[in-house]
Amino acid sequence: MSTGRIVLAATPIGNTEDASPRLRHLLATADVVAAEDTRRLGGLLQRLGVRTTGRVVSHHEHNEAARVADLLEVVRAGGTVLVVSDAGMPTVSDPGFLLVRAAVEAGLPVTTAPGPSAVLAALAVSGLATDRFCFEGFPPRKAGERATVFADLARERRTMVFFEAPHRLAATLAAMARAFGADRPAAVCRELTKTYEEVVRGGLDELATWASGEVRGEIAIVVAGAPGKEASMPDLVVEVLARADSGERLKDAVTAVAEATGVAKRELYAAALAARRP
């Protein structure tokens, strides 16, 4: 008996035209479509002009654990289980993780049909650094827990991406301003890919003031990472001399440290020579 597979498929986060041909094919042919909200899936199918041929079941945070065994049996029997959330990629702040973990433990195939992602879309348009980033999901709802989480992230050097509900946005931005600094650069990305898409950029305190008015829609917050601590010349000299003491040529050590920190090579070399004199 051939083994089927689980396919995690990204659905549009706003603009229906972002649905890929592969998503359309999978929706029409999968043996089971496990949807976070079957009514919202029905609306998507109608807009896409696609009719499912397989069974459609609900698959959300409240019933996912109970669904796993049945869905794995479909895969073992050779069927394709398509997992979709309301928007974006399943398992990313959406159901699907329990099923994937169980499938991996059972040695069953899991693959993806990639597509729209609110996390990557917000990061891309934020204007902030994209070379290193982390996704932190929804912050805690309670003020104390939220403050604790932000305090732990205050020294995070990577760009951070969060989701937030509109009615908690102002409080969250204000809490971020207290933890990260009022002037920490950030961007609030609202209704991405939709008709009323809006990206507001500025310091966290400025954004908190802006958000005190009425804000609606799906929201992602992108926050710049903590700035690196500027090393003093004495600290850099200590690093250069330590590298030299370990066998590296002094000039090579100076060059490496200067290029990594942006200080003037000649100035660092002179300081290192002066420190070596008895």
Side-chain angles (χ1 to χ4, degrees):
M1 181 179 296
S2 62
T3 302
R5 60 179 180 159
I6 292 170
V7 183
L8 308 171
T11 54
I13 60 175
N15 192 323
T16 303
E17 293 181 5
D18 291 335
S20 68
R22 187 178 176 200
L23 173 64
R24 295 168 185 265
H25 174 75
L26 287 165
L27 286 168
T29 61
D31 298 283
V32 176
V33 179
E36 182 179 5
D37 186 325
T38 56
R39 290 171 298 181
R40 293 192 66 168
L41 173 64
L44 176 62
L45 292 170
Q46 185 175 21
R47 293 193 300 275
L48 293 176
V50 173
R51 177 176 297 180
T52 59
T53 55
R55 178 164 52 105
V56 175
V57 300
S58 63
H59 180 250
H60 47 71
E61 61 178 331
H62 302 297
N63 72 355
E64 182 175 10
R67 287 281 189 212
V68 167
D70 176 57
L71 295 177
L72 292 186
E73 283 305 311
V74 174
V75 177
R76 289 192 181 96
T80 294
V81 173
L82 178 66
V83 181
V84 293
S85 61
D86 291 343
M89 178 62 71
T91 78
V92 182
S93 281
D94 280 325
F97 171 71
L98 294 181
L99 178 61
V100 170
R101 184 174 63 181
V104 170
E105 291 174 352
L108 297 173
V110 180
T111 188
T112 65
S117 165
V119 176
L120 295 181
L123 179 68
V125 302
S126 68
L128 301 174
T130 60
D131 54 337
R132 298 179 67 236
F133 69 94
C134 57
F135 174 56
E136 296 294 330
F138 283 91
R141 298 184 181 187
K142 295 182 179 179
E145 295 176 3
R146 187 167 56 215
T148 299
V149 167
F150 291 162
D152 290 341
L153 291 171
R155 296 182 182 275
E156 173 59 63
R157 298 287 297 277
R158 297 171 294 180
T159 301
M160 297 170 282
V161 183
F162 302 83
F163 289 162
E164 188 52 288
H167 62 281
R168 290 194 296 269
L169 179 61
T172 291
L173 290 169
M176 287 178 171
R178 289 190 292 270
F180 303 153
D183 296 327
R184 178 79 72 90
V188 176
C189 306
R190 188 181 72 85
E191 294 289 90
L192 289 172
T193 79
K194 300 177 184 178
T195 302
Y196 298 104
E197 175 177 304
E198 180 180 24
V199 180
V200 183
R201 305 173 182 87
L204 283 169
D205 194 51
E206 177 186 358
L207 291 174
T209 300
W210 165 81
S212 61
E214 185 178 15
V215 180
R216 297 181 179 180
E218 302 286 335
I219 293 169
I221 306 170
V222 187
V223 183
K229 180 182 178 182
E230 293 186 9
S232 65
M233 184 60 71
D235 290 337
L236 298 180
V237 168
V238 169
E239 183 178 349
V240 167
L241 295 182
R243 295 175 70 138
D245 290 342
S246 67
E248 191 172 353
R249 291 179 58 214
L250 182 63
K251 286 187 176 181
D252 292 339
V254 167
T255 298
V257 173
E259 290 179 351
T261 59
V263 301
K265 188 188 304 183
R266 180 177 298 180
E267 182 181 352
L268 180 57
Y269 185 66
L273 286 178
R276 268 194 160 183
R277 296 192 188 106

